[in-house]
Amino acid sequence: MSFDGAVRRLESVARPDRYRQIEQLPPDAPRTVRGGGYSYAPASFGARTTVQRTRDFNRVLSLDPENGILECEAGLTLGQLHSVATPHGWYLPAQPGYPLITIGGCIAAEAHGKNHFRDGTFRRRVLALDLFHPAHGILRLTRDSHADLFELTCGGLGLTGQILSATLALDRLEGTRVEIRRVSLGRLEEAVPLLEQWAPKSRFLYTWHNLSVSGASFGRGFLYTGDFRPESGLARDGGERFTPITAEDRGRWRVCLLNRATTVLFNAAYELAQRASSRVRVLSLFEFLFPVARKVAYYELFGRKGLHEYQMLVPVESFEDLAATLRRGLMRFGVPIALASCKLFKGERSLLRFDGTGICLALDFPRSSGSERLAGFLDGVVREARGLPNIVKDSRLPRETVEACYPGYESFRRSLRAFDPLRLYRSEISERLGL
Amino acid sequence: MTCVIVGASSGLGRALAEELARGGHPLVLVSSDARDLLPLASDLTVRFGAAVRTVAADAAEHAGLAAALDRAVPSGQPITALLFPVGAVEQRDDGWLEPELAERLVRVNLLSVSSVVGRLLPRLISQGSGTIVGFGSVAALRGRSSNVLYAAAKRSLESYFESLRHLGEPRGLTVAFYVLGYLDTQLSYGSRLLLPRADPKRVAKRVCRALGRERGRRYVPWFWYPAGVLLKAIPWAVFRRLNS
Ligand SMILES: Cc1cc2nc3c(=O)[nH]c(=O)nc-3n(C[C@H](O)[C@H](O)[C@H](O)COP(=O)(O)OP(=O)(O)OC[C@H]3O[C@@H](n4cnc5c(N)ncnc54)[C@H](O)[C@@H]3O)c2cc1C
Ligand SMILES: NC(=O)c1ccc[n+]([C@@H]2O[C@H](COP(=O)([O-])OP(=O)(O)OC[C@H]3O[C@@H](n4cnc5c(N)ncnc54)[C@H](OP(=O)(O)O)[C@@H]3O)[C@@H](O)[C@H]2O)c1
C-alpha cells in the first residue's frame, strides 16, 4: 500500500536480517528495496518483484564525536539517528518530517527539510555509500570513486541497487530547542518576498496557507521562522514518544472526514488558534524536526481512499502567475485543499532529483472523483511554470509530465541502463515512468 | 560481568544483546557470520559504550565453537551468564530429512549448547555463581508432522536443562529454561500461525529483567502455559486430526 492510499498490491515481501539473505535471491530476479514505506507514491513496491525490506539493517557502524561523522546501515531511521547523535551534540540537517523514514529512503528520494535554502538536499550530507547490486557486488561510492554512480544513486529512487550503508556528515547542534516565530501574510503571493526576506535570518523556514478563502486574501496564512535557542543546552528532548503509523494503517478509517465544509472549518480553526497563541513558540528539536510524529491523525482524516500530495518546485519568477492561476482555477474542481505550504529552495537541478532554486509548494487534498482532474490540471501548471513535480509524492504522475519537466530524465534513464542492462531493481514508479 | 550469547546475530539473540549492552554488560556474541556480528558489535559500542567481542563460528561444529569461546572469554573476567538463543530449522524437516541435514539440526539445536556449557562449566563452578539460560519452543510440546527433528532436539534440550539444574544449583548456579511461543523473527516469518507472534524485544526485556533470579522452566509469553497444558491434554485420537 502506498502512503497516499492510491496503490495497493499483494506482493511477496522478504524481511532479510542477515547479509547472506540479501544475496540469497537468484542474481537475475527482479527486486525492490523498501525502507520505511513512507513515500506517498509506490516507490518501494508495485512492480511484481520480490520486495526486500531493510528494517533490520539499522545499526550504527561508527560515530566520530569530534567531527560529527556517522556511518550507519541504510535501514536506520531518522529517529534512531537523532537519539544517537544528539547526546554527542550533533544532528542531521535536511531531513524529512517523520522519524520512521530511513536513511536509505532519504538518499534514494533525495529528501529535503525545512532548510533547503541553507542546507540543500540530503545528498550534501552523504560522504560515502556502500551499494549492493548482484551483477556488480558491493561497491563503495564516493564523489571520487564511482562518482557517476554516486550521483545516480542519490535521488536514484532505489533503482541502482540496495544501499547497504552510508557515511554521513552531521552538523553541530547549537541547542536542543527550536524557537519558532510566526509572521502573518495576507495572501499566497506574499510568500515569495517574505521567504526571501527572512531567509538570511532563519535556520528553518516555511509557510502555511489557507486556500479555502477566495478573493483577495486567497492563501493568507503565516510564515514560520525557526532557529536554535542558544541557551537551551542539551536539555532533555522529551518528545521522542509517539504512536507509529504505517502506510498500511493510515487508511484504517473508512471515510474521509475532509470535505469542502470541514476543510473550511479546519483551516479557519487553525488560523484562529494560531492568532490566539503567542507569536513565539519553543519546541524540542525532536518535535520540530518530526512534527508529524504526534500528528498522524491528520493523515488518518483522509480515510481509506487517501490523499494526493502535489509538491512542486517552481522558479521564483513564476510564482506570482502560479498563485493567480490557482486562485482562478482551483475552485472549479470542487476539491478541498487541506494543506498548503511553501519552502524556499536554493540548489541545482539534475537527473531526477527534486532539487533546484525556487519556491516549493505542497498541496494536500483528498482523493475523490475530482481530485485526479485537479492533479492533471496541476501537471499543466507546473509545466507552464517550468517547475518540477516531486516524483515520490505522486502516485499518478504521468511519464510525459516527468519527461517534459525534468531535463535530466533521458540522461538518468541512459546511465541506469548502462549500469544495469537487466534492470533488476524496479518499482511501480520505474515502470510507470519507463525507467 | 561478561555475558555470552550464542545465536546473537538476529531475532531474540540480537534483542538480548541490546538489552544486556544497555545494562552495561561486556558481551561475547556468537553466530556463524562475521558480516552480521561486526555491525552489531559496533552498534552496541556506539550506542551503549559496551565492550563487545565476537566469535564467528558454525554452531554445528560444536566442539570447535566451545574451544573458540573458551579462548574468547577473558579468563580473568567472571562470566555472569551464558544465553543460548541459537536455533535453526530446516524446511524439509518432515521426517524424511537426509542424515547429514538431520544430524546438523541436532548439532545446532542441542549439541552446540551442551558442548559450550560443558566447556565453560568448570569456570562457572569455580566462580560459584553464574546463570545459564536455554530456549525451547512450543513446537516441541507435541510431536508434529513438520519440524520433526527440530522439535525432538528442543525437547532433548529441555531435558538437558533439567539435568543441568541438578548439576548447577547445588554449586551456586542459576539455570533457567524458557519455552517460547512464536516470535516475530526470521525463524517463523511467512508461516501461518494460530496465536500471535511475540516481539523479540519484549521477550528479551522479560528474560533480562529476571536474569539470575528466575530458575526452572517458564513459558513466554505466559499464555503459552495454559495453551501448553491444553495441548498436552488432548488425546492422541483427537490430536492426530488437528495436526494434519
Ligand atoms: C509524514 C511524511 C512526511 C514527509 N516529509 C518529507 C519532507 O519534509 N521532505 C521530503 O523530502 N520528503 C518527505 N516525505 C517523503 C519521504 O521522505 C520520502 O518518500 C522517503 O523516501 C521515504 O523513505 P522510506 O524510508 O520510507 O523509504 P520507502 O518509501 O520505502 O522508499 C523510498 C525510496 O527509497 C528506496 N530505498 C529505500 N531504502 C533503500 C536502500 N537501502 N537502498 C536503495 N534504495 C532504497 C526505495 O526503493 C524507494 O525508491 C515525507 C513522507 C511522509 C509520510
Ligand atoms: N521464532 C520463533 O517463532 C521461535 C519459537 C519458539 C522458539 N524459538 C527459539 O528461540 C530462539 C531464538 O529464535 P529466533 O526466532 O530469534 O531465531 P533466529 O532469528 O533465526 O536466530 C537464530 C540465531 O541462531 C544463530 N544460528 C543458527 N544456526 C547457527 C549456526 N549453525 N551457527 C552459528 N549460529 C547459528 C543465528 O545466527 P546465524 O544464522 O547468523 O549464524 C541467529 O543468531 C531459538 O532457540 C529458537 O529455536 C523461536
Side-chain angles (χ1 to χ4, degrees):
Chain A
M1 176 85 116
S2 56
F3 191 80
D4 67 1
V7 181
R8 181 194 298 259
R9 296 268 168 84
L10 201 60
E11 277 180 12
S12 82
V13 181
R15 213 181 67 188
D17 64 1
R18 276 152 273 182
Y19 277 97
R20 64 175 184 272
Q21 293 167 350
I22 295 181
E23 295 161 4
Q24 231 162 30
L25 277 185
D28 56 352
R31 61 201 74 193
T32 310
V33 190
R34 184 164 175 84
Y38 291 102
S39 294
Y40 288 70
S44 54
F45 70 99
R48 293 168 303 278
T49 66
T50 300
V51 176
Q52 291 187 302
R53 298 218 59 162
T54 62
R55 55 167 248 182
D56 287 311
F57 295 90
N58 61 350
R59 291 163 288 211
V60 179
L61 302 176
S62 68
L63 172 64
D64 172 352
E66 302 298 309
N67 302 302
I69 308 287
L70 180 137
E71 194 186 351
C72 64
E73 292 178 320
L76 188 78
T77 67
L78 297 174
Q80 290 166 332
L81 186 145
H82 181 84
S83 64
V84 172
T86 40
H88 294 279
W90 297 97
Y91 84 112
L92 186 62
Q95 51 185 329
Y98 194 63
L100 297 182
I101 288 171
T102 67
I103 299 298
C106 288
I107 296 170
E110 184 70 328
H112 61 265
K114 297 184 186 75
N115 47 352
H116 188 287
F117 63 100
R118 279 178 72 115
D119 295 305
T121 45
F122 203 83
R123 181 175 43 136
R124 214 186 270 182
R125 300 287 136 196
V126 183
L127 302 177
L129 294 174
D130 276 357
L131 183 76
F132 169 74
H133 186 290
H136 300 274
I138 298 173
L139 300 171
R140 169 142 281 229
L141 318 180
T142 66
R143 287 180 175 77
D144 299 321
S145 93
H146 300 292
D148 292 347
L149 193 54
F150 179 89
E151 287 297 313
L152 204 61
T153 300
C154 295
L157 303 170
L159 304 178
T160 56
Q162 174 158 359
I163 302 164
L164 299 177
S165 63
T167 309
L168 305 171
L170 310 181
D171 257 8
R172 259 221 193 281
L173 203 55
E174 292 159 39
T176 50
R177 305 196 144 242
V178 177
E179 187 174 281
I180 306 163
R181 190 172 296 276
R182 188 186 72 235
V183 180
S184 294
L185 46 81
R187 50 199 216 116
L188 185 55
E189 286 84 342
E190 283 177 21
V192 175
L194 273 181
L195 285 167
E196 299 269 11
Q197 178 196 330
W198 279 94
K201 299 177 276 189
S202 311
R203 169 116 17 197
F204 308 104
L205 192 57
Y206 62 102
T207 63
W208 176 90
H209 301 277
N210 186 346
L211 298 195
S212 309
V213 287
S214 52
S217 50
F218 172 79
R220 70 169 180 240
F222 309 105
L223 171 133
Y224 298 94
T225 160
D227 206 339
F228 288 113
R229 224 176 131 102
E231 82 278 20
S232 65
L234 297 179
R236 69 183 175 86
D237 209 343
E240 299 184 23
R241 267 168 218 278
F242 61 95
T243 317
I245 188 172
T246 64
E248 284 71 29
D249 56 33
R250 186 207 53 74
R252 66 200 166 98
W253 298 350
R254 194 168 274 279
V255 290
C256 171
L257 297 179
L258 291 164
N259 53 38
R260 286 175 79 170
T262 55
T263 307
V264 170
L265 222 64
F266 279 132
N267 276 317
Y270 177 80
E271 242 188 288
L272 267 176
Q274 287 291 302
R275 288 191 200 286
S277 65
S278 137
R279 288 162 55 87
V280 178
R281 268 192 320 150
V282 178
L283 291 180
S284 79
L285 182 61
F286 185 91
E287 283 175 293
F288 178 76
L289 289 175
F290 308 119
V292 184
R294 295 207 266 166
K295 297 196 186 106
V296 289
Y298 166 70
Y299 290 96
E300 292 173 337
L301 287 178
F302 290 97
R304 182 159 308 169
K305 276 199 182 154
L307 70 154
H308 294 263
E309 173 156 316
Y310 204 109
Q311 190 172 44
M312 56 177 99
L313 173 58
V314 298
V316 170
E317 316 81 74
S318 319
F319 194 78
E320 189 130 346
D321 286 345
L322 181 135
T325 311
L326 291 181
R327 176 186 294 117
R328 283 191 316 262
L330 279 186
M331 287 301 169
R332 104 178 110 85
F333 295 94
V335 177
I337 305 294
L339 183 99
S341 169
C342 291
K343 299 170 190 159
L344 184 63
F345 269 44
K346 293 214 189 302
E348 270 174 40
R349 292 190 181 188
S350 60
L351 300 172
L352 292 183
R353 295 196 269 260
F354 189 69
D355 192 4
T357 293
I359 304 291
C360 166
L361 169 67
L363 303 176
D364 284 6
F365 45 97
R367 211 160 268 289
S368 63
S369 49
S371 67
E372 288 279 329
R373 283 197 306 123
L374 170 55
F377 166 73
L378 293 172
D379 287 348
V381 171
V382 179
R383 280 173 79 157
E384 178 87 358
R386 293 182 315 284
L388 301 177
N390 193 341
I391 295 171
V392 288
K393 300 224 164 163
D394 193 338
S395 294
R396 47 149 289 285
L397 199 62
R399 171 175 175 174
E400 55 150 332
T401 305
V402 174
E403 272 190 77
C405 295
Y406 284 86
Y409 173 89
E410 202 38 56
S411 124
F412 180 89
R413 189 168 183 273
R414 221 178 316 113
S415 310
L416 184 61
R417 274 157 201 272
F419 173 67
D420 176 15
L422 287 180
R423 289 293 301 105
L424 285 188
Y425 289 84
R426 301 177 194 171
S427 64
E428 190 275 344
I429 290 190
S430 76
E431 311 253 290
R432 173 160 41 86
L433 301 186
L435 295 170
Chain B
M1 283 293 277
T2 304
C3 293
V4 177
I5 305 176
V6 180
S9 62
S10 71
L12 177 62
R14 184 171 157 185
L16 286 167
E18 183 165 331
E19 204 50 38
L20 292 169
R22 184 177 285 123
H25 290 279
L27 298 175
V28 178
L29 307 180
V30 185
S31 80
S32 66
D33 195 344
R35 282 199 298 172
D36 300 309
L37 286 174
L38 296 177
L40 179 60
S42 316
D43 184 64
L44 300 177
T45 307
V46 173
R47 289 198 297 146
F48 307 113
V52 185
R53 289 164 185 251
T54 61
V55 175
D58 184 356
E61 304 302 326
H62 48 99
L65 168 67
L69 254 178
D70 199 13
R71 286 192 298 275
V73 186
S75 54
Q77 259 179 39
I79 301 173
T80 300
L82 302 176
L83 300 103
F84 294 95
V86 59
V89 293
E90 179 65 51
Q91 244 178 7
R92 289 169 300 147
D93 182 13
D94 56 2
W96 302 91
L97 206 57
E98 301 91 279
E100 297 75 23
L101 286 178
E103 185 184 337
R104 194 179 157 79
L105 275 184
V106 177
R107 283 164 171 257
V108 173
N109 288 301
L110 175 66
L111 296 177
S112 69
V113 182
S114 61
S115 293
V116 171
V117 171
R119 184 83 179 209
L120 296 176
L121 201 56
R123 284 169 66 174
L124 290 178
I125 289 177
S126 74
Q127 286 172 198
S129 70
T131 303
I132 306 175
V133 184
F135 296 93
S137 170
V138 294
L141 286 169
R142 296 291 301 255
R144 307 175 339 140
S145 50
S146 59
N147 288 337
V148 171
L149 264 164
Y150 169 76
K154 284 289 186 190
R155 218 192 270 186
S156 312
L157 191 66
E158 185 169 341
S159 166
Y160 172 75
F161 266 82
E162 200 165 10
S163 308
L164 202 56
R165 241 185 127 180
H166 282 299
L167 208 71
E169 284 191 0
R171 297 174 171 84
L173 307 188
T174 310
V175 178
F177 188 77
Y178 293 94
V179 179
L180 300 178
Y182 303 119
L183 304 178
D184 185 14
T185 66
Q186 201 55 241
L187 205 72
S188 63
Y189 184 67
S191 46
R192 282 168 187 278
L193 303 170
L194 285 178
L195 287 165
R197 294 177 169 87
D199 178 359
K201 287 202 170 114
R202 295 186 61 173
V203 174
K205 273 206 167 63
R206 154 81 182 73
V207 169
C208 292
R209 220 181 314 122
L211 193 71
R213 289 187 281 114
E214 205 163 55
R215 51 190 70 211
R217 185 181 57 191
R218 306 282 165 147
Y219 288 80
V220 175
W222 64 268
F223 57 75
W224 278 101
Y225 178 69
V229 170
L230 273 177
L231 209 61
K232 282 196 208 163
I234 300 175
W236 169 250
V238 180
F239 187 67
R240 61 191 265 231
R241 276 169 227 271
L242 293 179
N243 198 40
S244 51

